[in-house]
Amino acid sequence: MKKVLLAVAFTLTATFSFAQGKTNTKASLQLIRNATIVLEYAGHKILVDPMLSPKGTIESWGGVERNPTVELKMPVSDITNNLDLVMVTHSHADHFDEAASKALPKTIALMYQPSDKDFFAKEGFTNATAVEDNHTWKNLNIHRVAAQHGTGEVLKMMGKTSGYVLQAKNLPTVYVVGDAIWTEEIKKTIKTYKPDYIIVNSGGAVMKGFEQTPILMEEEQTMALIRESGKAKVIAVHMNALDHCRTTRASLRKKADELKISPKKLLIPQDGETIVL
């Protein structure tokens, strides 16, 4: 009888270990809208840059129409249910809005850049961590890297923003660039971490009155990133949802086609679409 019980226990342990390993070797990305994504990664559901407001409830930033310009494709509860972690690149309303603050439990594990400490304290999140550089959370390695949200006077207006590199055992390395223009620093980050996937905000956004100064990568800058991306697949988001974004999915694909960049190299998901990593 003892031998039978031991055999059963061993079998259950092996099965559990296999299931755990199997779960942790699967990863996916779902584009929710704009820069809001859900990563299933290392057994965790991770929400990045939640903008959860209904269509037209936020002011216009480009003088065209109120934001966001499209509705969510799913209920907010589908996005927030069973979350393990929230990661925020910066606290602009198109990356963390009032609707997100209300929808998320104040005890959720949340990570942010140090310059947003006062913002998240004011919002009442009690399990929030400022990521200075490298940070370990459970079975994840998280590296925060600075991003440049424009140039000159516009950069002063935009303030600080960040990106994150996520790594876990037996999983692809994922680089979430955040709101940024193409810089040598991003090129260095790609060379340092050699990501398997790069998530880039390619909306080509500009602020009203500063139309010649992009605050996000547009078609040309996204192509420059692709040229330096190595083995990585590039996933372009932050398009077709805000009134100050000039680059669209169609214009980005057109530029990629002109340069013979394959859809397997540059992935441009629709809202609600899931990509297996």
Side-chain angles (χ1 to χ4, degrees):
M1 184 65 180
K2 186 176 180 181
K3 289 183 178 180
V4 172
L5 290 174
L6 285 172
V8 171
F10 177 80
T11 301
L12 288 173
T13 302
T15 302
F16 178 76
S17 299
F18 175 77
Q20 288 287 91
K22 188 176 180 181
T23 299
N24 289 345
T25 56
K26 291 184 177 180
S28 66
L29 174 152
Q30 183 181 29
L31 174 62
I32 303 302
R33 181 184 59 188
N34 194 49
T36 305
I37 61 175
V38 169
L39 286 171
E40 295 284 353
Y41 192 78
H44 308 295
K45 182 180 178 181
I46 304 170
L47 177 62
V48 180
D49 282 353
M51 181 192 198
L52 304 180
S53 294
K55 178 182 177 182
T57 54
I58 299 175
E59 65 183 322
S60 166
W61 295 311
V64 180
E65 61 181 302
R66 290 178 65 83
N67 292 300
T69 61
V70 295
E71 293 284 9
L72 291 167
K73 297 289 188 182
M74 69 284 290
V76 170
S77 59
D78 287 359
I79 302 166
T80 58
N81 280 350
N82 302 313
L83 276 180
D84 298 298
L85 176 66
V86 178
M87 301 185 71
V88 182
T89 60
H90 64 303
S91 57
H92 287 173
D94 58 328
H95 294 261
F96 193 92
D97 60 2
E98 184 178 352
S101 187
K102 289 179 178 178
L104 294 168
K106 298 302 182 181
T107 55
I108 189 74
L110 188 149
M111 295 186 186
Y112 60 90
Q113 62 179 359
S115 59
D116 287 332
K117 180 178 181 179
D118 291 343
F119 174 86
F120 285 106
K122 185 178 179 181
E123 292 298 312
F125 287 89
T126 59
N127 191 20
T129 302
V131 180
E132 294 284 349
D133 185 6
N134 299 325
H135 183 75
T136 299
W137 181 81
K138 298 187 177 180
N139 57 341
L140 298 184
N141 292 319
I142 300 168
H143 312 272
R144 186 183 68 83
V145 290
Q148 186 175 323
H149 203 355
T151 53
E153 290 301 313
V154 172
L155 178 57
K156 293 177 184 178
M157 293 165 54
M158 292 295 102
K160 293 183 179 180
T161 185
S162 296
Y164 297 100
V165 179
L166 278 68
Q167 296 175 311
K169 186 177 180 181
N170 298 324
L171 284 174
T173 296
V174 178
Y175 177 18
V176 179
V177 176
D179 273 9
I181 58 172
W182 173 245
T183 61
E184 282 296 313
E185 285 72 22
I186 293 175
K187 182 177 176 180
K188 289 177 184 176
T189 299
I190 294 170
K191 287 187 175 181
T192 298
Y193 293 103
K194 297 177 176 57
D196 299 285
Y197 291 89
I198 302 172
I199 303 164
V200 56
N201 295 349
S202 295
V206 295
M207 298 307 295
K208 189 177 180 181
F210 298 88
E211 285 79 9
Q212 303 306 311
T213 307
I215 59 176
L216 295 181
M217 291 186 223
E218 25 73 297
E219 295 90 345
E220 294 292 345
Q221 291 192 19
T222 301
M223 298 305 119
L225 179 146
I226 290 170
R227 284 193 291 271
E228 301 293 339
S229 63
K231 66 179 181 180
K233 291 185 177 181
V234 177
I235 303 174
V237 299
H238 208 310
M239 291 173 287
N240 298 77
L242 302 176
D243 81 320
H244 68 321
C245 287
R246 303 289 185 84
T247 299
T248 65
R249 293 183 179 103
S251 68
L252 188 64
R253 175 52 62 199
K254 182 174 182 291
K255 175 58 70 173
D257 288 346
E258 290 172 1
L259 298 176
K260 300 188 184 329
I261 295 171
S262 165
K264 292 182 180 180
K265 176 66 174 179
L266 172 62
L267 294 81
I268 309 176
Q270 298 293 319
D271 292 351
E273 183 177 347
T274 297
I275 296 171
V276 176
L277 306 180

